[in-house]
Amino acid sequence: MSTVRPLYLPPDGRPRCAWCAAAPGDETYLRYHDEEWGRPVADDFRLFEKLCLEGFQSGLSWRTILNKRDAFRAAFAGFDFNKVANFGEKDVARMLADPGIVRHRGKIEAAIHNAGRCVELVAEQGSLASYLWRFEPPKNSVAHNLATSAPSEALSKDLKKRGWKFVGPTTMHALMQAMGLINDHQPGCHHWAEAQKARDAFKRPGR
């Protein structure tokens, strides 16, 4: 069931989604909400990055991952899945010694494993973007502030069938929110209209 929390009102007087209150005063966090979250993405490397980082976030806060994102990008070759798919044990050891990222062997190995599955998927589907956007929910079919949804469950199930790891329905719903497959900015959020305008103008991959 959807539960809408009060909007967050930072010093600039522009109301934001309630989750922004988790890091008051953190400009990076607020800028992520304002400029990235909910805006549609068709770039395969950015989509793969988000798939990986959502997996790394498991059990942690998004603020923690966001503050380490540049280090993750350096460690994972800009999330070029063609390169990451060829990573081996030396790369795993390198990342386990990297204090800039989350040093969790299972998550690191899952990201490398998923890169291989991504190469396979792109060979079959043409692009990661065209595959993911097939799961875009019908207009107005997903209520606000859900942790999971029927489309995210379908995406999770299909990815698991293809051998992907750390792609549960909650993680996939967060991906859909962040990458603009839905506009989940709260009603009244200063950036709801901007995200919607971007979605309206967005050309869906493969269509």
Side-chain angles (χ1 to χ4, degrees), residues 191-202:
H191 290 273
W192 183 93
E194 292 180 17
Q196 192 59 42
K197 184 177 179 180
R199 276 182 44 80
D200 290 343
F202 181 68

Side-chain angles (χ1 to χ4, degrees), residues 5-117:
R5 294 178 291 163
L7 290 163
Y8 170 62
L9 190 65
D12 66 8
R14 296 177 176 178
R16 295 341 195 263
C17 296
W19 58 265
C20 293
D26 187 329
E27 290 300 320
T28 300
Y29 197 71
L30 201 62
R31 190 163 56 249
Y32 171 77
H33 166 273
D34 293 356
E35 300 176 5
E36 293 187 50
W37 195 78
R39 308 298 175 94
V41 174
D43 180 87
D44 275 8
F45 293 162
R46 281 191 61 197
L47 290 166
F48 181 68
E49 171 185 280
K50 189 61 174 171
L51 277 160
C52 292
L53 294 184
E54 287 293 346
F56 274 100
Q57 185 192 347
S58 179
L60 302 170
S61 72
W62 175 244
R63 185 185 187 189
T64 296
I65 301 302
L66 184 62
N67 288 334
K68 292 176 176 288
R69 186 166 64 171
D70 286 343
F72 271 113
R73 286 171 173 169
F76 280 95
F79 289 97
D80 180 339
F81 45 81
N82 299 294
K83 294 178 181 178
V84 177
N86 292 316
F87 280 10
E89 186 54 41
K90 287 185 178 179
D91 296 288
V92 174
R94 166 177 59 82
M95 287 187 277
L96 286 172
D98 185 349
I101 69 169
V102 175
R103 292 179 285 183
H104 184 292
R105 176 179 285 274
K107 293 177 180 180
I108 291 170
E109 290 178 342
I112 296 171
H113 170 85
N114 286 348
R117 306 293 73 72

